[in-house]
Amino acid sequence: MKKALLLIVLSFITETGFSQNTKLIDSLKTELKSSKKEDSVKVMILTRLHEKLMFSKPEEAKQYALQELEISKKIDYTKGIAVGNMHIADYFSNRNENDSALYYYKIAKDYFNQARSTRGIIFVNHTLSTIESTNGNLDTAIEISKENIELIKNHEKEGEAKTKFIGAQYNALANIYIEKGNYKTALIYAFKALKCFEEINHESRKADVLKQIGDIESGLKNHESSIEYFKQALEIYERFEETFYAAYTHNSLGISYQNLNDYKTAETYFELAVKNAKTVEDKLGISNALHNLGDIKRLQNKYSEAKKLLFEAKTIVEEENLKLGKVNVLHSLSKIDFHFKNYSGALKKNQEAIEISKSLGAISHLADLYKYRSKLFEGLNKNNDALEFLKLYQTINDSLFTTKKSQQIEELKAIYESEQKESKIAFQKQEIEALSVQAKNDKLTKTLYGTGMIGFLIIAGLIYFSFNQRMKKNKIEREKQETILKQEIEFKKKELATQTLHLVQKNTFIQELKENLERIKKSPELFKVEFRRLVMLLKKESAEDKDWEVFKSYFSEVHNNFDHKLKAVYEDINEKEMRLASYLRMNLSTKEIASLLNVLPESVLKSKYRLKKKLGLDKDIDLNQFLSNL
């Protein structure tokens, strides 16, 4: 009964959302046809049309973006020019044409600067950082992210939303540094993110950062420390019944215990990872945990159990085309063949893993495979071949060592700059305090010992200086007020049109809500048992997550109060999956989504697979295409 009711509610909300969106688009098009004057109000209508159609009908949306840009240029509407260029950039970004997207985003940023729209700059910077990171320009991405943090600090009002968004930016910066291999610098920003989320008592974000810190500590080979952070994250995930994320935390705990040679405890956590990953039907998580469990069995000389688990993992990675996972499984199976002196089988699996690693550019994996292949040839007494692959391993290892040293230098430089900046701020505070004291003493001295004409001249000079400064200040304030007044008039014009459209949208929603509730009310049994639950469920469905609201506030500001763009409702879907579905509808790449969600790209792939399974989609149906066609 409860499940049936939930289906009715979800169906109702979905139909309402689609109907509401269609009617709003029709209303906007009607307004556009009746709008004869080319002004900022018409630009606003074109903006809303672009936003409503940019995912479902991108080519049509692009035409509206071009029109809003053309009219904005004619009427010299700076913010409209900025938004128009940004919308054209969105079009190219959604098509993964990053070079063209970067070109228009940079133009948009220049015009947002001219319009003094700080929030516009923040939104464009966020997207620019994501694209630069995707393109491998990690240093540029870092610079843009740091610029965004300073903008948020200097221009946003103090409060929970500001702290939350700064924490998210620190979290994203940590991810970029992890991708660079600069673990120590990543740790600095991860702890800054943790501090932000602890200040506002945001448990889910806090758990994500704790897991991230654990991964960083593991990368630094501080395995005991990593275990402590993983366990803190796990406690939160289990408390909130986040089985999916708990599975990956179990897996990470197993790896840390394995690195400490505590194979028994590692085995326990890998078994929990397999169990939880199977519960949520996460194939990537299942294959990773099965491989790790199989490998720990191998290390304990339980070869029969190890082979069974590894072949089970191999079946999954081949079905799902998880290439890096296949490399790991083949490597482990090759080691088992070598133990039983099945050299031909070991060489075959090793060679297959080498070919896949080459195609992926997985250099560190390739180095390990070359080293192991040298060992295999040594076992066959083929010393020349063994020496050849040992040299190949050494060449890659030297390259990795050089890269690591460069990263360590970068880390030390970043840490030094961070410490220098903090020291500079502290020194400046001391200077200000000292100057304040000195100023007070000077003033006291002049008051006590200033006599005659000298005192008069000083006072006269101060009066003149004060009068002159006041005149300048009044002039600046007057000009500022005139600018604000002009902006307010322009805003009121747009706000009137926006409110009209909002009323159409709101009235449509209320009417359909009444009709559906009346239909449910006709059934006495349903009304008595489930009516109160239905109302509470609708309230819950309409509530917005505060984290998500932080991001939407910036997006909505730039897009003229955009508020319903990414909301999609599916049967039994949770909030994190809804957010992922929204980004997938934007046609963002995996790395872009990872940056927006402040997780690793691997986590996005896992979440995508889980979402597809939850929606009951066949293997040959593309998830992105399915969401775009809704």
Side-chain angles (χ1 to χ4, degrees), residues 126 130 134 175 579-601 603-605 607-608 624:
H126 189 83
T130 302
T134 303
N175 281 333
R579 188 177 294 120
L580 173 63
S582 300
Y583 286 132
L584 290 173
R585 281 196 67 197
M586 293 176 69
N587 293 321
L588 297 179
S589 69
T590 298
K591 283 193 176 181
E592 289 170 337
I593 295 174
S595 179
L596 289 168
L597 296 178
N598 302 314
V599 297
L600 295 173
S603 295
V604 176
L605 292 174
S607 299
K608 285 175 65 178
N624 296 58

mmCIF file of all heavy atoms in Angstrom, residues 126 130 134 175 579-601 603-605 607-608 624:
data_model
loop_
_atom_site.group_PDB
_atom_site.id
_atom_site.type_symbol
_atom_site.label_atom_id
_atom_site.label_comp_id
_atom_site.label_asym_id
_atom_site.label_seq_id
_atom_site.Cartn_x
_atom_site.Cartn_y
_atom_site.Cartn_z
ATOM 1 N N HIS A 126 33.571 29.410 -11.625
ATOM 2 C CA HIS A 126 33.341 28.014 -11.234
ATOM 3 C C HIS A 126 33.368 27.114 -12.474
ATOM 4 O O HIS A 126 33.990 26.051 -12.477
ATOM 5 C CB HIS A 126 31.993 27.901 -10.526
ATOM 6 C CG HIS A 126 31.757 26.561 -9.889
ATOM 7 N ND1 HIS A 126 32.241 26.246 -8.645
ATOM 8 C CD2 HIS A 126 31.109 25.460 -10.335
ATOM 9 C CE1 HIS A 126 31.903 25.005 -8.338
ATOM 10 N NE2 HIS A 126 31.211 24.510 -9.351
ATOM 11 N N THR A 130 36.309 24.290 -13.818
ATOM 12 C CA THR A 130 35.934 22.913 -14.160
ATOM 13 C C THR A 130 36.473 22.530 -15.534
ATOM 14 O O THR A 130 37.041 21.444 -15.721
ATOM 15 C CB THR A 130 34.397 22.768 -14.152
ATOM 16 O OG1 THR A 130 33.909 23.122 -12.859
ATOM 17 C CG2 THR A 130 33.992 21.340 -14.474
ATOM 18 N N THR A 134 39.324 19.783 -16.553
ATOM 19 C CA THR A 134 39.022 18.717 -17.513
ATOM 20 C C THR A 134 40.054 18.694 -18.633
ATOM 21 O O THR A 134 40.450 17.619 -19.112
ATOM 22 C CB THR A 134 37.616 18.921 -18.112
ATOM 23 O OG1 THR A 134 36.668 18.959 -17.045
ATOM 24 C CG2 THR A 134 37.255 17.793 -19.060
ATOM 25 N N ASN A 175 40.703 18.323 -4.370
ATOM 26 C CA ASN A 175 40.585 17.316 -5.427
ATOM 27 C C ASN A 175 41.541 17.590 -6.582
ATOM 28 O O ASN A 175 42.140 16.667 -7.153
ATOM 29 C CB ASN A 175 39.147 17.265 -5.952
ATOM 30 C CG ASN A 175 38.224 16.488 -5.040
ATOM 31 O OD1 ASN A 175 38.658 15.601 -4.324
ATOM 32 N ND2 ASN A 175 36.958 16.836 -5.032
ATOM 33 N N ARG A 579 20.569 15.145 -7.739
ATOM 34 C CA ARG A 579 21.559 16.149 -8.139
ATOM 35 C C ARG A 579 22.426 15.656 -9.294
ATOM 36 O O ARG A 579 22.712 16.368 -10.240
ATOM 37 C CB ARG A 579 22.427 16.503 -6.928
ATOM 38 C CG ARG A 579 23.362 17.690 -7.178
ATOM 39 C CD ARG A 579 24.147 18.065 -5.924
ATOM 40 N NE ARG A 579 23.273 18.554 -4.899
ATOM 41 C CZ ARG A 579 23.149 18.002 -3.699
ATOM 42 N NH1 ARG A 579 23.830 16.938 -3.371
ATOM 43 N NH2 ARG A 579 22.335 18.509 -2.801
ATOM 44 N N LEU A 580 22.810 14.387 -9.232
ATOM 45 C CA LEU A 580 23.599 13.790 -10.323
ATOM 46 C C LEU A 580 22.803 13.797 -11.617
ATOM 47 O O LEU A 580 23.326 14.146 -12.686
ATOM 48 C CB LEU A 580 23.997 12.360 -9.948
ATOM 49 C CG LEU A 580 24.690 11.552 -11.054
ATOM 50 C CD1 LEU A 580 26.015 12.199 -11.433
ATOM 51 C CD2 LEU A 580 24.912 10.121 -10.600
ATOM 52 N N ALA A 581 21.508 13.440 -11.546
ATOM 53 C CA ALA A 581 20.668 13.426 -12.739
ATOM 54 C C ALA A 581 20.583 14.809 -13.368
ATOM 55 O O ALA A 581 20.596 14.963 -14.590
ATOM 56 C CB ALA A 581 19.273 12.918 -12.383
ATOM 57 N N SER A 582 20.543 15.850 -12.517
ATOM 58 C CA SER A 582 20.484 17.229 -13.029
ATOM 59 C C SER A 582 21.736 17.578 -13.820
ATOM 60 O O SER A 582 21.672 18.156 -14.897
ATOM 61 C CB SER A 582 20.320 18.200 -11.850
ATOM 62 O OG SER A 582 19.156 17.930 -11.129
ATOM 63 N N TYR A 583 22.904 17.226 -13.278
ATOM 64 C CA TYR A 583 24.144 17.529 -13.987
ATOM 65 C C TYR A 583 24.270 16.721 -15.273
ATOM 66 O O TYR A 583 24.805 17.205 -16.274
ATOM 67 C CB TYR A 583 25.346 17.257 -13.085
ATOM 68 C CG TYR A 583 25.530 18.290 -12.000
ATOM 69 C CD1 TYR A 583 25.748 17.919 -10.682
ATOM 70 C CD2 TYR A 583 25.470 19.650 -12.295
ATOM 71 C CE1 TYR A 583 25.907 18.864 -9.685
ATOM 72 C CE2 TYR A 583 25.623 20.601 -11.309
ATOM 73 C CZ TYR A 583 25.843 20.218 -10.010
ATOM 74 O OH TYR A 583 25.998 21.149 -9.035
ATOM 75 N N LEU A 584 23.793 15.487 -15.242
ATOM 76 C CA LEU A 584 23.839 14.665 -16.458
ATOM 77 C C LEU A 584 22.947 15.264 -17.542
ATOM 78 O O LEU A 584 23.266 15.210 -18.724
ATOM 79 C CB LEU A 584 23.405 13.238 -16.141
ATOM 80 C CG LEU A 584 24.386 12.420 -15.284
ATOM 81 C CD1 LEU A 584 23.779 11.092 -14.904
ATOM 82 C CD2 LEU A 584 25.701 12.211 -16.024
ATOM 83 N N ARG A 585 21.831 15.875 -17.133
ATOM 84 C CA ARG A 585 20.965 16.549 -18.114
ATOM 85 C C ARG A 585 21.666 17.755 -18.730
ATOM 86 O O ARG A 585 21.330 18.188 -19.823
ATOM 87 C CB ARG A 585 19.660 16.996 -17.443
ATOM 88 C CG ARG A 585 18.647 15.885 -17.266
ATOM 89 C CD ARG A 585 17.275 16.439 -16.985
ATOM 90 N NE ARG A 585 16.740 17.142 -18.138
ATOM 91 C CZ ARG A 585 15.720 17.992 -18.084
ATOM 92 N NH1 ARG A 585 15.137 18.257 -16.942
ATOM 93 N NH2 ARG A 585 15.294 18.600 -19.178
ATOM 94 N N MET A 586 22.642 18.306 -18.001
ATOM 95 C CA MET A 586 23.429 19.415 -18.538
ATOM 96 C C MET A 586 24.521 18.931 -19.491
ATOM 97 O O MET A 586 25.265 19.722 -20.052
ATOM 98 C CB MET A 586 24.087 20.185 -17.396
ATOM 99 C CG MET A 586 23.099 20.926 -16.509
ATOM 100 S SD MET A 586 23.919 21.721 -15.103
ATOM 101 C CE MET A 586 24.832 23.003 -15.960
ATOM 102 N N ASN A 587 24.604 17.593 -19.652
ATOM 103 C CA ASN A 587 25.625 16.999 -20.526
ATOM 104 C C ASN A 587 27.036 17.329 -20.070
ATOM 105 O O ASN A 587 27.942 17.503 -20.884
ATOM 106 C CB ASN A 587 25.444 17.435 -21.994
ATOM 107 C CG ASN A 587 24.171 16.890 -22.596
ATOM 108 O OD1 ASN A 587 23.804 15.752 -22.319
ATOM 109 N ND2 ASN A 587 23.486 17.691 -23.392
ATOM 110 N N LEU A 588 27.238 17.465 -18.767
ATOM 111 C CA LEU A 588 28.576 17.721 -18.248
ATOM 112 C C LEU A 588 29.387 16.426 -18.286
ATOM 113 O O LEU A 588 28.849 15.324 -18.184
ATOM 114 C CB LEU A 588 28.505 18.229 -16.814
ATOM 115 C CG LEU A 588 27.794 19.572 -16.615
ATOM 116 C CD1 LEU A 588 27.786 19.937 -15.142
ATOM 117 C CD2 LEU A 588 28.458 20.672 -17.414
ATOM 118 N N SER A 589 30.684 16.576 -18.438
ATOM 119 C CA SER A 589 31.566 15.413 -18.432
ATOM 120 C C SER A 589 31.724 14.891 -17.005
ATOM 121 O O SER A 589 31.354 15.546 -16.036
ATOM 122 C CB SER A 589 32.941 15.781 -18.993
ATOM 123 O OG SER A 589 33.617 16.636 -18.107
ATOM 124 N N THR A 590 32.306 13.692 -16.898
ATOM 125 C CA THR A 590 32.496 13.077 -15.584
ATOM 126 C C THR A 590 33.358 13.961 -14.683
ATOM 127 O O THR A 590 33.057 14.168 -13.501
ATOM 128 C CB THR A 590 33.155 11.694 -15.739
ATOM 129 O OG1 THR A 590 32.269 10.871 -16.502
ATOM 130 C CG2 THR A 590 33.392 11.045 -14.390
ATOM 131 N N LYS A 591 34.464 14.499 -15.241
ATOM 132 C CA LYS A 591 35.343 15.344 -14.424
ATOM 133 C C LYS A 591 34.639 16.626 -13.996
ATOM 134 O O LYS A 591 34.843 17.124 -12.892
ATOM 135 C CB LYS A 591 36.618 15.665 -15.196
ATOM 136 C CG LYS A 591 37.616 14.511 -15.226
ATOM 137 C CD LYS A 591 38.965 14.969 -15.715
ATOM 138 C CE LYS A 591 39.991 13.843 -15.643
ATOM 139 N NZ LYS A 591 41.319 14.290 -16.087
ATOM 140 N N GLU A 592 33.809 17.196 -14.883
ATOM 141 C CA GLU A 592 33.097 18.415 -14.529
ATOM 142 C C GLU A 592 32.121 18.152 -13.386
ATOM 143 O O GLU A 592 32.012 18.941 -12.449
ATOM 144 C CB GLU A 592 32.352 18.954 -15.758
ATOM 145 C CG GLU A 592 33.292 19.528 -16.817
ATOM 146 C CD GLU A 592 32.588 19.834 -18.132
ATOM 147 O OE1 GLU A 592 31.529 19.235 -18.386
ATOM 148 O OE2 GLU A 592 33.110 20.646 -18.899
ATOM 149 N N ILE A 593 31.411 17.018 -13.471
ATOM 150 C CA ILE A 593 30.467 16.671 -12.407
ATOM 151 C C ILE A 593 31.217 16.426 -11.105
ATOM 152 O O ILE A 593 30.792 16.831 -10.032
ATOM 153 C CB ILE A 593 29.646 15.432 -12.800
ATOM 154 C CG1 ILE A 593 28.765 15.752 -14.031
ATOM 155 C CG2 ILE A 593 28.765 14.974 -11.647
ATOM 156 C CD1 ILE A 593 28.034 14.568 -14.582
ATOM 157 N N ALA A 594 32.384 15.748 -11.212
ATOM 158 C CA ALA A 594 33.193 15.479 -10.019
ATOM 159 C C ALA A 594 33.581 16.773 -9.333
ATOM 160 O O ALA A 594 33.538 16.882 -8.111
ATOM 161 C CB ALA A 594 34.436 14.670 -10.401
ATOM 162 N N SER A 595 33.974 17.786 -10.124
ATOM 163 C CA SER A 595 34.362 19.068 -9.550
ATOM 164 C C SER A 595 33.173 19.749 -8.881
ATOM 165 O O SER A 595 33.285 20.305 -7.802
ATOM 166 C CB SER A 595 34.945 19.959 -10.650
ATOM 167 O OG SER A 595 35.301 21.202 -10.143
ATOM 168 N N LEU A 596 31.996 19.705 -9.546
ATOM 169 C CA LEU A 596 30.811 20.337 -8.985
ATOM 170 C C LEU A 596 30.344 19.668 -7.700
ATOM 171 O O LEU A 596 29.872 20.327 -6.770
ATOM 172 C CB LEU A 596 29.671 20.308 -10.013
ATOM 173 C CG LEU A 596 29.844 21.230 -11.227
ATOM 174 C CD1 LEU A 596 28.836 20.892 -12.287
ATOM 175 C CD2 LEU A 596 29.724 22.687 -10.818
ATOM 176 N N LEU A 597 30.466 18.332 -7.648
ATOM 177 C CA LEU A 597 30.019 17.571 -6.486
ATOM 178 C C LEU A 597 31.113 17.390 -5.445
ATOM 179 O O LEU A 597 30.899 16.777 -4.403
ATOM 180 C CB LEU A 597 29.498 16.201 -6.919
ATOM 181 C CG LEU A 597 28.246 16.213 -7.810
ATOM 182 C CD1 LEU A 597 27.868 14.807 -8.194
ATOM 183 C CD2 LEU A 597 27.080 16.884 -7.104
ATOM 184 N N ASN A 598 32.352 17.860 -5.801
ATOM 185 C CA ASN A 598 33.497 17.750 -4.888
ATOM 186 C C ASN A 598 33.821 16.301 -4.529
ATOM 187 O O ASN A 598 34.050 15.953 -3.368
ATOM 188 C CB ASN A 598 33.234 18.553 -3.603
ATOM 189 C CG ASN A 598 32.975 19.988 -3.913
ATOM 190 O OD1 ASN A 598 33.694 20.604 -4.689
ATOM 191 N ND2 ASN A 598 31.934 20.542 -3.330
ATOM 192 N N VAL A 599 33.782 15.435 -5.534
ATOM 193 C CA VAL A 599 34.183 14.036 -5.349
ATOM 194 C C VAL A 599 35.167 13.664 -6.443
ATOM 195 O O VAL A 599 35.405 14.427 -7.375
ATOM 196 C CB VAL A 599 32.956 13.087 -5.407
ATOM 197 C CG1 VAL A 599 31.999 13.371 -4.281
ATOM 198 C CG2 VAL A 599 32.258 13.178 -6.754
ATOM 199 N N LEU A 600 35.739 12.483 -6.339
ATOM 200 C CA LEU A 600 36.640 12.008 -7.378
ATOM 201 C C LEU A 600 35.835 11.523 -8.584
ATOM 202 O O LEU A 600 34.702 11.048 -8.434
ATOM 203 C CB LEU A 600 37.517 10.873 -6.847
ATOM 204 C CG LEU A 600 38.493 11.278 -5.725
ATOM 205 C CD1 LEU A 600 39.162 10.042 -5.169
ATOM 206 C CD2 LEU A 600 39.529 12.266 -6.217
ATOM 207 N N PRO A 601 36.403 11.633 -9.812
ATOM 208 C CA PRO A 601 35.703 11.146 -11.015
ATOM 209 C C PRO A 601 35.245 9.700 -10.888
ATOM 210 O O PRO A 601 34.178 9.341 -11.379
ATOM 211 C CB PRO A 601 36.763 11.316 -12.117
ATOM 212 C CG PRO A 601 37.607 12.442 -11.646
ATOM 213 C CD PRO A 601 37.667 12.296 -10.159
ATOM 214 N N SER A 603 34.076 8.225 -8.327
ATOM 215 C CA SER A 603 32.823 8.192 -7.570
ATOM 216 C C SER A 603 31.633 8.555 -8.453
ATOM 217 O O SER A 603 30.539 8.024 -8.281
ATOM 218 C CB SER A 603 32.900 9.163 -6.395
ATOM 219 O OG SER A 603 33.876 8.745 -5.481
ATOM 220 N N VAL A 604 31.866 9.483 -9.405
ATOM 221 C CA VAL A 604 30.789 9.863 -10.330
ATOM 222 C C VAL A 604 30.389 8.671 -11.202
ATOM 223 O O VAL A 604 29.207 8.411 -11.426
ATOM 224 C CB VAL A 604 31.229 11.054 -11.219
ATOM 225 C CG1 VAL A 604 30.146 11.374 -12.233
ATOM 226 C CG2 VAL A 604 31.505 12.266 -10.357
ATOM 227 N N LEU A 605 31.390 7.926 -11.706
ATOM 228 C CA LEU A 605 31.109 6.747 -12.527
ATOM 229 C C LEU A 605 30.284 5.723 -11.741
ATOM 230 O O LEU A 605 29.339 5.137 -12.258
ATOM 231 C CB LEU A 605 32.418 6.116 -13.006
ATOM 232 C CG LEU A 605 33.241 6.939 -14.006
ATOM 233 C CD1 LEU A 605 34.576 6.257 -14.269
ATOM 234 C CD2 LEU A 605 32.479 7.132 -15.309
ATOM 235 N N SER A 607 28.304 6.365 -9.216
ATOM 236 C CA SER A 607 26.966 6.919 -9.002
ATOM 237 C C SER A 607 26.121 6.842 -10.264
ATOM 238 O O SER A 607 24.918 6.573 -10.200
ATOM 239 C CB SER A 607 27.068 8.370 -8.528
ATOM 240 O OG SER A 607 27.767 8.443 -7.325
ATOM 241 N N LYS A 608 26.746 7.069 -11.435
ATOM 242 C CA LYS A 608 26.034 6.979 -12.708
ATOM 243 C C LYS A 608 25.523 5.558 -12.934
ATOM 244 O O LYS A 608 24.381 5.354 -13.352
ATOM 245 C CB LYS A 608 26.949 7.403 -13.863
ATOM 246 C CG LYS A 608 27.175 8.900 -13.971
ATOM 247 C CD LYS A 608 28.181 9.248 -15.040
ATOM 248 C CE LYS A 608 27.704 8.904 -16.422
ATOM 249 N NZ LYS A 608 28.694 9.311 -17.455
ATOM 250 N N ASN A 624 22.645 9.488 -20.260
ATOM 251 C CA ASN A 624 22.606 10.933 -20.568
ATOM 252 C C ASN A 624 21.488 11.251 -21.553
ATOM 253 O O ASN A 624 20.738 12.212 -21.380
ATOM 254 C CB ASN A 624 23.946 11.388 -21.144
ATOM 255 C CG ASN A 624 25.067 11.245 -20.153
ATOM 256 O OD1 ASN A 624 25.325 10.151 -19.670
ATOM 257 N ND2 ASN A 624 25.747 12.323 -19.828
#
